Amino acid sequence: MPESVDRLFVHCRELLPLTEGPPTGSRRGESMQRLDVVEDGAIAVRDGRIVATGTTQDIQGRYESRDVVDLSDYVVMPGFVDCHTHPVFASTREGEFHMRCAGADYMAIAQAGGGILRSVRSVHEATDEHLRQMVRKHYDGFLAHGTTTIEAKSGYGLTTETEVKSLDALGAVACEHPLTVSRTFLGAHEVPPDFRDRRDAYVDLVIEEMMPAVKGKCTSCDVFAEPKVFDRKQSERILRAAIDHGMRLRIHADEIEPMGGAELAVELGADSADHLPRISLAGQDALASSATTAVLLPGTSFYLGKQAHAPARSMIEKGCAVALATDFNPGSCYTQSIPLIITLACVLLHMSVEECVHAVTINPAASLHLDEEIGTLHVGKRADFVALDLPSHRALGYAFGGNPVVMTVKDGEPVVTNVTERGYDTE
Ligand code: NIG
Ligand code: FE
């Protein structure tokens, strides 16, 4: 007698369960190339968890349900895990985008009081209600693009009150939303104007006043480590204080000017070093022999019109744990689409599609310490997955500009359905 389950998802054109490796831990080097692809695949789900994956024939022989979802035309894989986002802001900054397109520089805009400080002003003015409405809209956008878990940073507050307001907004909306959200405190995102000439005093404020106020509201602490923002010494002070407050670490490192940010991340045992177009060879070696994940954000270097991109090939070959993320934010990367990031990673970072699949699922999950729960479709994990209207998984990256997501399933429930008849003739 077949065993009864809550729901069966059957006839996936291709199922990528990512069960070819161990259930936990990031995939590095050659193992990022290995992908098990099950044709006519199926998934059995009970209590929001994976009960089994296999071929439809195998699964329907062993399990039955009154609720059977047919995913015939679709490629199905674990839900995307976006481990670097800034979704708590109150208004957009399209003016700056057009200034940059006309030749203005990102840092010059920031130093003239635009950039992050512009978003800071609007978060200060926003009511809790408006801020939460914006966060809700952004969470909906992630699910619509197939992302089932995000890491979400504060950082457009820069006062104790508004950093708390931002982390509370991220948390309150997450409580009533299917998306899984891991919160990060980024009080050291920029130096507010009244601290311009006494930057160390702002570092003191972050450590002495903000950290005690936010520590129960986030998992991690991040710093925008840049010579012209928080230099190495200031970044290190903040991050060591965060460790003392029981927070884990993530770092904006080696993005605009090289600063040994990756080395600092490894020295402090950070979960991730993010951005990295200007990483040194020593930084790559340090990452390769550490547990720190290199989180690459090709959407940002693309959107800012930079020629320098993170050296993904070299990092993968050295054995670094590499993840990809959107960096969704109102200034330097306004997209929530992991499929678009995969295109950019293929074209600009020369990553293979197989590497990209691992870099948007198990590797970011491991960097967030959520790999026991998500990132692959191993038995017992949360049933978080996405169905894509693509002729095969190799069309990830290839097909770009549209949203290939037809269904996002969170904890076994279809939370987004967007079925359109597109149809492909595969090669
Ligand atoms: O990761 N580097 C700083 N933070 C964001 C940009 C934020 C903004 O421009 O609003 C980033 O790119
Ligand atoms: Fe960022």
Side-chain angles (χ1 to χ4, degrees):
M1 264 298 275
E3 191 183 320
S4 170
V5 292
D6 293 341
R7 190 170 284 127
L8 289 173
F9 295 85
V10 298
H11 295 307
C12 310
R13 182 196 285 261
E14 287 184 357
L15 172 65
L16 278 55
L18 269 69
T19 46
E20 79 290 349
T24 56
S26 47
R27 313 282 168 87
R28 299 175 186 235
E30 278 291 303
S31 68
M32 290 184 81
Q33 292 291 355
R34 281 196 287 277
L35 261 193
D36 45 349
V37 178
V38 183
E39 281 175 24
D40 194 7
I43 306 172
V45 170
R46 190 191 297 119
D47 296 329
R49 303 257 161 192
I50 306 283
V51 172
T53 60
T55 61
T56 300
Q57 199 184 14
D58 164 36
I59 294 297
Q60 286 196 314
R62 292 157 56 206
Y63 301 97
E64 64 178 11
S65 175
R66 265 182 292 182
D67 193 341
V68 179
V69 181
D70 190 308
L71 294 174
S72 298
D73 285 330
Y74 310 130
V75 173
V76 176
M77 61 177 286
F80 304 132
V81 180
D82 191 344
C83 66
H84 184 135
T85 83
H86 303 253
V88 56
F89 55 87
S91 56
T92 54
R93 304 202 323 249
E94 56 273 31
E96 287 172 21
F97 169 76
H98 295 294
M99 282 166 71
R100 285 200 307 275
C101 292
D105 175 70
Y106 178 72
M107 285 306 261
I109 294 172
Q111 276 157 3
I116 293 168
L117 293 179
R118 197 179 166 85
S119 292
V120 168
R121 288 193 289 278
S122 68
V123 166
H124 278 241
E125 284 158 18
T127 61
D128 282 342
E129 162 110 13
H130 175 66
L131 201 57
R132 288 172 194 213
Q133 229 169 40
M134 293 287 290
V135 168
R136 194 169 298 112
K137 195 178 93 173
H138 297 151
Y139 286 2
D140 289 346
F142 284 111
L143 281 185
H145 287 88
T147 296
T148 45
T149 296
I150 63 165
E151 179 265 11
K153 302 173 197 297
S154 65
Y156 294 117
L158 310 188
T159 64
T160 303
E161 192 193 334
T162 50
E163 285 295 309
V164 166
K165 169 174 158 182
S166 299
L167 289 165
D168 281 345
L170 291 170
V173 180
C175 281
E176 53 187 46
H177 199 281
L179 190 71
T180 297
V181 179
S182 174
R183 289 178 292 173
T184 296
F185 165 59
L186 180 54
H189 195 189
E190 177 59 289
V191 177
D194 38 333
F195 286 90
R196 272 281 147 100
D197 303 321
R198 45 191 192 110
R199 304 171 84 88
D200 283 325
Y202 184 65
V203 174
D204 294 341
L205 182 77
V206 168
I207 293 173
E208 286 158 24
E209 194 182 291
M210 292 190 198
M211 282 189 191
V214 302
K215 69 178 174 191
K217 301 175 187 290
C218 57
T219 307
S220 304
C221 175
D222 193 345
V223 175
F224 188 19
E226 274 294 326
K228 294 203 179 74
V229 189
F230 295 95
D231 64 23
R232 195 187 149 108
K233 209 167 136 220
Q234 292 163 334
S235 298
E236 184 169 343
R237 264 189 74 207
I238 292 166
L239 294 165
R240 287 198 187 277
I243 296 174
D244 293 341
H245 280 99
M247 298 183 215
R248 298 206 296 252
L249 309 181
R250 313 184 75 80
I251 309 181
H252 281 69
D254 300 322
E255 180 190 358
I256 296 161
E257 288 176 41
M259 200 186 84
E263 291 91 321
L264 179 65
V266 172
E267 192 184 315
L268 298 179
D271 289 332
S272 71
D274 304 42
H275 283 284
L276 306 174
R278 311 300 303 276
I279 188 173
S280 66
L281 276 174
Q284 296 181 42
D285 288 332
L287 282 178
S289 53
S290 77
T292 304
T293 300
V295 177
L296 310 185
L297 309 165
T300 308
S301 38
F302 164 76
Y303 201 68
L304 293 180
K306 303 273 185 199
Q307 301 304 318
H309 301 286
R313 281 266 51 84
S314 160
M315 282 191 264
I316 290 172
E317 275 147 31
K318 283 176 183 286
C320 301
V322 169
L324 292 164
T326 60
D327 194 17
F328 173 61
N329 75 73
S332 66
C333 198
Y334 197 81
T335 183
Q336 297 179 287
S337 170
I338 287 286
L340 174 60
I341 296 300
I342 292 176
T343 296
L344 298 175
C346 292
V347 174
L348 302 175
L349 307 188
H350 308 292
M351 286 174 65
S352 71
V353 64
E354 291 81 7
E355 289 167 344
C356 289
V357 167
H358 293 104
V360 300
T361 54
I362 184 65
N363 287 7
S367 90
L368 296 170
H369 295 267
L370 294 174
D371 46 334
E372 286 187 2
E373 288 283 284
I374 57 168
T376 68
L377 303 182
H378 280 87
V379 172
K381 287 200 187 186
R382 294 170 87 150
D384 291 1
F385 50 88
V386 59
L388 305 162
D389 186 12
L390 296 173
S392 86
H393 70 281
R394 293 188 55 78
L396 269 169
Y398 161 77
F400 83 109
N403 181 7
V405 172
V406 287
M407 187 180 289
T408 306
V409 177
K410 186 75 182 72
D411 297 314
E413 297 294 326
V415 288
V416 169
T417 22
N418 178 28
V419 178
T420 49
E421 283 301 320
R422 210 169 304 163
Y424 293 95
D425 286 327
T426 24
E427 65 177 11

